[in-house]
Amino acid sequence: MSDSEPDLELLELLRQHIAGKPQVAAEPDTGVLESAEYVYNNSIDVALDMRSCKNAARAIYSQMQTKSYSPATWAAHELHPHPSKGDKPEDVVAFIFTMDLLNFCFWSERGEEERFSIEYKGRRWTGYWSLVAALQRALEEDPHFWQNEEELTLSTLKHVFRSATSEEMPLLAARLSCLREAGQILYEKFSCHPLHLVTSSNNSAARLVNTLASNFSCFNDTHSPPSFPRKKPIRLLKRAQILVADLWACFEGQGPYGKFYDIDKITMFADYRIPQMLNQLGCIQYSPPLETAVQLKRDIPSGSNWEIQLRACSIWCVELIRREILRENPGARVNAILIDFFLYDTIKEMENEGRERAPHHRTRSIWY
Ligand SMILES: Nc1nc2c(c(CN[C@H]3C=C[C@H](O)[C@@H]3O)cn2[C@@H]2O[C@H](COP(=O)(O)O)[C@@H](O)[C@H]2O)c(=O)[nH]1
């Protein structure tokens, strides 16, 4: 827990003690949804269109059913590791931890042929898949490459992420810092392996998100932009949340590393793809100056007023879509994770078919 943020669970226990109530530990909460609603209620550059959200909810749920979207979809991606592919569960957990530690900022200003890409299994992989491909390739070449962070130098990392083009992976030095910090914290607090980090959550998704955010600065995706003056930071926690979601999906909500009794507390992951898809669906709309900045691919600084509105309003938008799907289909097995995965995979299909109507916003950061 960083100094500025109170320990919410401790405060709740204290409150109950003073009120003379039995001391029941408060259910952990990540604070992301509260942050998203606060930003949405105070935004002037991003708005939600309710009619489009209702239409999107119907279309998304219908297509998710047609494609039988479920946690099992995660393992169906050929590059994702999975016990059914012969990967040991503990290696899968280490893979997902390392992957989501580095799961940020793949976009390039260059064309498809010149952009950073990874050659693996006879194909060129870009974006998120370039990360997964590079890690799989590195494991084939040296199964222990990431275990000793002393050996992990910038040149090692350049080799792991060697590109099939002249463009290097973005933010490589920042990725090295994330790996080094993670290695150090795992060594100091979690007996050197992510397994102990995961099991320390006692099957609470929210607690695991908060543990990641409070112990690893590179997972602490929280912001206090001057345009949103309030005591509590705005908590978006994208990579901490997608890490928990990837574990849950990979292990299909089962076992010591996949079972989370409060998985529905995980929100959509505020990256640069989902806002693009929600805008394409008409669900989120931008003020003219923001619309121009996105269309012209101008840099939108990390932590800026516009960027926080884009990310937080997208989280709130997916929450409203989730509520609409459940209102129309009581008991539907849908949560923000599956809606998010579906939206990401859909915008990637549209990109591959040249059907993107507008660019995604351009922010360089380690948060997403
Ligand atoms: N919100 C959200 N963001 C996601 C993903 C994924 C991939 N998840 C896989 C796992 C299960 C799903 O079915 C997906 O197959 C990557 N990203 C983020 O997008 C950006 C990369 O974009 P591009 O450069 O175009 O590949 C970057 O910020 C990355 O962190 C997701 O699912 N949701």
Side-chain angles (χ1 to χ4, degrees), residues 77 103 128 238 269 271-273 340 344-345 348 368:
H77 291 286
N103 186 359
Y128 163 79
K238 181 256 176 189
F269 323 115
D271 72 322
Y272 50 86
R273 282 296 182 186
D340 174 294
Y344 173 84
D345 290 338
K348 292 302 285 180
Y368 58 98

Side-chain angles (χ1 to χ4, degrees), residues 116-135:
F116 165 73
S117 64
I118 293 287
E119 212 141 76
Y120 177 61
K121 289 189 169 189
R123 276 186 58 181
R124 279 194 181 189
W125 305 86
T126 58
Y128 163 79
W129 296 109
S130 69
L131 167 66
V132 190
L135 293 179

Side-chain angles (χ1 to χ4, degrees), residues 122-183:
R123 276 186 58 181
R124 279 194 181 189
W125 305 86
T126 58
Y128 163 79
W129 296 109
S130 69
L131 167 66
V132 190
L135 293 179
Q136 290 286 21
R137 181 178 69 181
L139 282 170
E140 277 178 14
E141 293 167 352
D142 169 11
H144 306 290
F145 89 89
W146 63 40
Q147 248 131 26
N148 186 336
E149 116 264 349
E150 268 79 43
E151 282 162 26
L152 217 49
T153 60
L154 191 56
S155 61
T156 315
L157 217 57
K158 280 183 177 174
H159 177 70
V160 168
F161 291 110
R162 61 192 182 281
S163 176
T165 70
S166 60
E167 185 177 45
E168 188 180 78
M169 182 179 222
L171 303 182
L172 211 49
R175 295 180 204 273
L176 180 61
S177 305
C178 292
L179 280 163
R180 284 197 165 144
E181 181 197 30

Side-chain angles (χ1 to χ4, degrees), residues 16 20 23-24 36 41 65 127 140 161 221 231 258 262 277 317 332:
Q16 288 175 14
Q23 319 265 302
V24 177
N41 288 333
Q65 284 192 299
E140 277 178 14
F161 291 110
D221 177 11
K231 286 197 187 62
D262 58 347
M277 184 68 207
C317 181

